[in-house]
Amino acid sequence: MDRAFQRAKILTNHLLQSSPSSPAQTPALSSNACLNYSPPELSENYAFDINEMRKLIDGHHVEERDWLFGLIRQSKVFNPRVSGGRVFMSPNYNQSMEQQREMTWKRIVYLQERGVFKGWLTEKEEEVEMRKFACFEVLGIFDHSISIKLGVHFFLWSGAIQFFGTKHHHDKWLRDTENFLIKGCFAMTELGHGSNVRSIETVTTYDSNTGEFVINTPSESAQKYWIGGAAKHATHTIVFSQLNINGTNQGVHAFIAQIRDADGNICPNIRIADCGHKIGLNGVDNGRIWFDNVRVPRENLLNSVADVSPDGKYLSSIKDPDQRFAAFLAPLTAGRVNIAVTAVYQSKVGLAIAIRYALTRRAFSLKPNEPEVLLLDYPSHQRRLLPLLAKTYAMSFAANYLKMLYVKRTPQSSKTIHVVSSSFKATFTWNNMQILQECREACGGQGLKTENRIGQLKGEYDVQSTFEGDNNILMQQVSKALLAEYVAAQKRNKAFQSLGLEHMNKPYPVIPSQLASTTLRCSQFQMDALCLRERDLLNRFVADVSQYQAKGESKAHAFIMSYQLAEDLGRAFSDRAIFQTFVEAEATLASGSLKDVLGKLRSLYALICLEDVAFLRYGCLSVDNAATVRREITKICSELRPHALALVSSFGIPDAFLSPIAFNWIDANSWSSAQH
Amino acid sequence: MASSVSSQQDQVLVEAISSARILTLNRPKQLNAQTIQMISPLLELFLAFEKDPNVKLVILKGKGRAFSVGGDVAAVVRDIRADDWRVGANFFMKVYTLNYLMATYSKLQVSILNGIVMGGGAGASLHGRFCVATENTIFAMPETALGLFPDVAASYFLSRLPGFFGEYVGLTGSRLDGAEMLACGLATHFVPSVKLPMLEAALCDVDSSDPVIISSIIDQYCEQPSLKEQSVYNRLDVIDRCFSQKTVEEILSALEREVVHQMDGWISATIQTLKKASPTSLKISLRSIREGRLQGVGACLVRDYRMVCHVLQGELSKDFYEGCRAILLDKDKNPKWEPSKLELIADSTVDCYFSKVNNEEWEDLKLPTRAKFNLPPYAIAKL
């Protein structure tokens, strides 16, 4: 009864402006202070230079990014919408799938006319590659569909031509691709085969009488599936197919085939169907393709690794089919890097909105007649959002490292790029989905509104965990690569030299039995703990696999059976590798307020990694120490609370790309706003 | 009830009519060019009015054929030559503080732009709540021709114009009339000048600080002007295509491509204007407008102050002094810009204009803290 009375009193206080001293006063018809929106900028201070922080986490092309944001912001095709006196840019997801696809295309044309893609395929400098990544990060903040349409065109179609093709392919196709005279797509996945590309069923033979390849879809499960661009716009495609020369299967090869003419009519012997409505990405026209004896000229074989002579002889410089196949997957790396780094920016959008909302939305008073408490002043709310903020900062540094690793690639670094990009792609996209879900819930019902973006982003970006490498499979490949590295080092009795495994050469790090706060915040300790888990798991994984093999199981089967350790190991590798990039970024800074706050974020990131159950499961951390870690996390959260606004402002996302609840959500929901 | 304050050599006339205050800029022979003797009383008056519960509305207008042509830069340059650049910096600091006050003003400001409004004149009006244009209005941000850049947080209001019209207006110094100002959103109302006395009387009569009521009063005297056929506002498609380009060089080559497609006097004239302007000014102005698009008024003013200090200091370029010499003092209209070409200006030099000034005594512009919780929503929205 008491509680009910108190609740009623609190509610009354919302409605009436009463003060404890004069409860009998006639209520004024002005709104109560606790229901007034107050911009977080007025109550929060910036303890560090947010522009410097942005430069550090964006890493490159800040001016270029802002130019692109401006291009979008100033154009009607990007669907500006006014709410609460502000303009917000976001696609109209209430449009039909057909309309969304047309809008995506119009937006691409608009950007192309303004020179955004200039030099993307015709210039070769590292600078251009980094610029491309920056543009994708910006476009991904607006909408995943436009980013995917462009990704298919510039990373997959063009990447295949650049990497599998030779000079005459480059000369013939790249300029027209950059200018969109050709719209490319990339037909690899089939209904029956996704990750297992080597077993696709599409088959191509060679007709030496006409000098043509003949491409066929031999069964329904061989139909090309999920082909972005195929349903509507694409004029050409890369076709992945088994190459059968005189009855011998030479494995998977890539061909160029035209699927539409310049007027958009589907070419003869090609059948195309739509993949239909999806949980997100409806601005991308995913299609299915069947090839019925489609004939393409001999030159359309992308022949950097293998060729067929005019009289039909198979020629390849790479004799080993395994290696040949690996060479074919190389262009997927750019796309994978792009997916990983784009995911980080969605986490930034989600956190910027949820944290700004938590700095303006109040709920419940602790005592009668006291103002209600800001969401972010609840330790529990801090505990939900701030570790994710630390994770996002960690991912930002890791993403910059990954981009540089890719752009500065050499033949020697290809294995590292493959392992790191696989691991980061899986980790970032999983993190992103976790972060968006938490942000969605942290915004309560407002998180459900499409205009508030976060909920929609979940649907739009969910696909990242399975396309261009299923996350689970990518992580298995990481563990496999670590295993191979281990076996190689042992066999040759040599030290570990790559994949960041150098720490394996040193003595086992020791974790103190009683962890103090100062120890927990020491980066050396944090690194030691992460290395210890990785090392321990790698040892266990190796032992597990060899135990199965000792029982006579095949290596492949042994690997399948050890999947639990493989998963834990994959995560241990990722956490450690990400952490390392954080430490390196921090080391570039002179001491000061920026470095101080980054130190806290780094500690928070390390400690939430230490919270992973694997530390307890394998005894890397005692139960007591695990409790200490947990306590320290809440402490760091409260220390980061005053920096929350500055930390999300440093993401550099223009206001128009956030959402109404990130600003004056009372104005945005007022009756007068509803009348427009 | 009308009274006049005769201090400060009457550069600002004050009338009090019920809850309205009418401020008249009073240097008609100099087209109301702003001096420290005009800005200081304006600052004081605006602050005093905000505190005074008897004041609900501030009307700002200019005497003569101009609202204001902006800062009296010729005087500023003379002062600087006599003393040092920090005297000039002090002037701009006061101007920007006034701009900020207006942008975050908790009472209503109605500016009547019945004549020329340029540079600092725009700064003293467009940040306020209502701007009334007339058939006599001539608006321009002509700074790039002077070796300066559109300051007074013009990067805020220009970058919020439709498409890339703001880049066009800011880089070329193109003149807009009242109809164009209304069409693009720089003015909130258009009232024929004959109706101004009636409008003023009505505003003084209303005794309200409700923007909806004030707006509806002004609406009663409004007319819908028609854009002239040759209006630049009818060329938005070309402006968008060209002025959205990444760099000044690319804007110029986009314009040149347009000329190849169609011989067009206006495009050629635009190219000529850009080629006559200070290359350094063009580069820093473009960057400033682009940054302004993503910033609030306060951040724009802090940036403007950094930039103007670099300009006055003259270490990166002396174009401002050269521009003032050629246009305002010697009037030979033939400035010798240095560097003379766009391609001679390194990105790193442009960066310098946006960084802090390397001088021990120099500090970033400190804007006054504005009342936190009684700011009306429209003022907060501008922050």
Side-chain angles (χ1 to χ4, degrees), chain A residues 344-501:
Chain A
V344 183
Y345 281 82
Q346 311 321 310
S347 297
K348 289 181 179 178
V349 172
L351 283 165
I353 293 171
I355 285 180
R356 290 186 64 91
Y357 186 57
L359 286 168
T360 61
R361 178 65 150 82
R362 294 169 184 271
F364 300 105
S365 321
L366 298 183
K367 285 185 198 145
N369 299 320
E370 267 190 359
E372 291 181 286
V373 178
L374 269 185
L375 296 187
L376 204 62
D377 285 334
Y378 285 99
S380 58
H381 211 74
Q382 296 168 10
R383 183 64 172 79
R384 285 168 70 187
L385 294 179
L386 300 183
L388 303 179
L389 192 57
K391 219 177 220 181
T392 302
Y393 268 82
M395 289 196 289
S396 293
F397 298 124
N400 286 334
Y401 162 78
L402 175 60
K403 281 181 270 182
M404 289 309 288
L405 189 66
Y406 175 75
V407 166
K408 297 197 176 296
R409 62 193 172 272
T410 60
Q412 291 75 39
S413 70
S414 68
K415 186 177 71 187
T416 308
I417 292 174
H418 176 73
V419 174
V420 175
S421 68
S422 299
S423 139
F424 285 7
K425 186 263 182 187
T427 308
F428 293 1
T429 58
W430 270 330
N431 283 348
N432 183 39
M433 290 311 290
Q434 178 215 3
I435 289 170
L436 289 174
Q437 180 63 24
E438 195 62 61
C439 290
R440 196 310 271 161
E441 292 177 32
C443 294
Q446 289 296 332
L448 291 181
K449 293 184 73 168
T450 306
E451 68 171 23
N452 287 327
R453 301 210 63 194
I454 302 175
Q456 185 72 30
L457 285 177
K458 288 195 304 165
E460 295 294 322
Y461 279 88
D462 195 340
V463 64
Q464 286 198 322
S465 15
T466 51
F467 72 1
E468 292 200 57
D470 176 279
N471 279 3
N472 283 290
I473 293 189
L474 290 178
M475 286 303 252
Q476 284 169 17
Q477 290 188 8
V478 172
S479 300
K480 248 186 212 171
L482 295 176
L483 178 80
E485 196 65 23
Y486 189 100
V487 171
Q490 268 196 332
K491 229 185 228 165
R492 280 183 251 118
N493 203 12
K494 269 194 176 160
F496 289 92
Q497 279 170 339
S498 67
L499 301 178
L501 291 177

Side-chain angles (χ1 to χ4, degrees), chain A residues 37-39 42-43 63-64 66-67 69-71 73-74 85-86 110 113-115 118 131 654 664 667, chain B residues 159-164 237 240-241 244-246 250 287 290 293-294 351 372-373 375 377 380-381 383:
Chain A
Y37 173 86
S38 168
L42 293 182
S43 44
E63 207 184 329
E64 181 91 15
D66 285 348
W67 171 60
F69 278 130
L71 279 184
R73 169 67 183 74
Q74 293 306 103
R86 284 177 173 276
Y110 168 87
E113 284 172 353
R114 275 146 188 87
K118 212 169 79 188
R131 176 145 53 90
N664 192 336
D667 267 8
Chain B
S159 64
R160 278 151 181 81
L161 298 185
F164 293 83
D237 54 336
D240 272 4
R241 268 200 303 278
S244 58
Q245 300 291 322
K246 205 185 317 180
E250 282 164 300
R287 168 105 169 248
R290 297 262 158 98
R293 186 161 284 138
L294 304 172
D351 288 343
K372 279 188 182 182
F373 298 106
L375 279 184
I380 292 171
L383 282 173

Side-chain angles (χ1 to χ4, degrees), chain A residues 534-586:
Chain A
E534 184 184 22
R535 179 177 192 149
D536 183 60
L537 280 165
L538 182 49
N539 286 332
R540 284 170 191 268
F541 183 54
V542 170
D544 213 42
V545 169
S546 39
Q547 212 169 18
Y548 280 113
Q549 282 181 295
K551 285 186 204 149
E553 304 280 8
S554 70
K555 196 171 151 192
H557 190 256
F559 195 82
I560 288 170
M561 297 309 288
S562 306
Y563 73 97
Q564 285 184 323
L565 280 163
E567 280 172 17
D568 286 341
L569 173 61
R571 196 161 47 244
F573 170 83
S574 295
D575 288 349
R576 191 265 305 148
I578 292 168
F579 182 75
Q580 206 152 1
T581 66
F582 204 141
V583 173
E584 279 160 17
E586 200 185 334

Side-chain angles (χ1 to χ4, degrees), chain A residues 124-143:
Chain A
K124 284 224 166 70
E125 296 84 26
E126 289 171 3
E127 190 274 329
V128 181
E129 289 199 282
M130 290 302 271
R131 176 145 53 90
K132 224 188 284 186
F133 284 129
C135 288
F136 270 95
E137 288 164 10
V138 168
L139 292 170
I141 287 176
F142 172 75
D143 175 37

